[in-house]
Amino acid sequence: MATDPQRRPPTIDAAAAARWRRLAPADGSPWLHEEIGRRMEDRLQWIKAKPRHWADWAPLRGGLEAHELLARRYREAEAFVIEPEPALAAATSAALAAPWWSARRWQGGKLRFDGLPEEGVDLLWANMALHMAADPEALIAHWHRQVATDGFLMFSCFGPDTLRELRALHARLGWPAASHEFTDMHDWGDMLVHAGFAEPVMDMERIVLTWATPEAALAELRTLGRNLHPARFPALRGRAWQAALHKALPELAPAEGGEGGEGRIALTFEIIYGHAFKPTPRVSLSAESAVSLREMREMLQRGRPSAH
């Protein structure tokens, strides 16, 4: 099933997305990413497949603590790290390196930063990366190539209700968009199938975060991402606008001691979780058919009769 062109994710500023990818987190992985990683790791209990090897996509921002949870769950599996941004490779390696005194140095498989196995990995873990990709369909296709046949992808990202209060505030005040648009989970499912994955399972939840002051709210938002909307304000904002934003943010506090607590700035984050398996490759017959050597080997191996 191909993705409906009318439902493609909104355009993201590719140059701005590239700048964000190169920016190392100042104080480790964001707290919210770690919490989402913890919740996603808990979902692995329902997947009976036991990976022989797994890979963590961009863990420096995706979640270093979440990485450790996976390492403990799959102690016998070979673990790989994929840092797609060369500028962050050294920081990622340093953050995940086990100190000489740590039990991690002799528990479980050795962490690898080199190339993945030729056949791919049984689990590709990608926490909180997809919503910041300028070309998400190309990224999903890339992930598909890195997953072994019968392996699976597990990912999380922001959904369309994220920052709905802040976006409404910007619209009411006549300001440009507060963030780029986030893709619906049904569209992610379509893209997974279009890339060659099978049996996608998607679910979502909403998390409301609250802060006592505008300064605290904005500081945390800066750790989570950037506004990649092509029509965002194109220059630096001045002190007058910043003061106006600080004055307006307390309007986002729920009244009467609501869900976020009276007097505290509250913002909604929609979290999408998804996983999908990679089935045996199929080649449609035509006058000329192209297939990779890896796919050919997999198809031939699947076609061999079992010994009795």
Side-chain angles (χ1 to χ4, degrees), residues 240-257:
W241 178 85
Q242 185 181 50
L245 177 61
H246 284 199
K247 182 179 179 181
L249 280 176
E251 299 176 20
L252 304 183
E256 305 300 331

Side-chain angles (χ1 to χ4, degrees), residues 25-34 58-66 223:
D27 300 308
S29 308
W31 173 87
L32 182 59
H33 289 195
E34 295 285 15
L60 190 62
R61 180 165 282 115
L64 299 172
E65 294 175 13
T223 70

Side-chain angles (χ1 to χ4, degrees), residues 92-265:
T92 301
S93 178
L96 289 172
W100 66 266
W101 44 263
S102 171
R104 285 192 290 129
R105 293 182 67 89
W106 62 83
Q107 289 179 347
K110 182 180 179 182
L111 190 60
R112 296 182 57 174
F113 293 84
D114 52 354
L116 302 184
E118 183 181 358
E119 70 275 14
V121 292
D122 294 328
L123 163 61
L124 180 59
W125 171 276
N127 190 41
M128 298 302 288
L130 197 51
H131 59 271
M132 297 295 286
D135 190 346
E137 289 179 283
L139 180 55
I140 290 173
H142 180 66
W143 287 346
H144 182 267
R145 292 190 293 272
Q146 294 181 318
V147 175
T149 298
D150 293 331
F152 64 101
L153 165 70
M154 197 149 192
F155 71 93
S156 62
C157 60
F158 284 145
D161 271 351
T162 299
L163 300 178
R164 61 188 181 187
E165 301 90 348
L166 186 61
R167 288 188 277 117
L169 177 66
H170 274 238
R172 182 173 61 79
L173 296 175
W175 295 343
S179 73
H180 54 282
E181 297 293 328
F182 300 107
T183 302
D184 182 83
M185 67 178 181
H186 299 99
D187 294 329
W188 289 132
D190 289 346
M191 283 185 258
L192 288 167
V193 172
H194 183 65
F197 285 103
E199 305 175 38
V201 177
M202 314 294 299
D203 68 304
M204 60 79 69
E205 65 176 334
R206 292 184 181 89
I207 298 175
V208 177
L209 299 186
T210 67
W211 301 269
T213 66
E215 291 81 3
L218 294 174
E220 181 144 11
L221 288 179
R222 291 188 192 100
T223 70
L224 300 178
R226 292 292 186 272
N227 181 359
L228 304 182
H229 199 297
R232 68 193 183 282
F233 189 75
L236 294 176
R237 292 288 199 175
R239 292 182 179 178
W241 178 85
Q242 185 181 50
L245 177 61
H246 284 199
K247 182 179 179 181
L249 280 176
E251 299 176 20
L252 304 183
E256 305 300 331
E259 185 177 6
E262 186 175 2
R264 294 179 65 86
I265 298 164

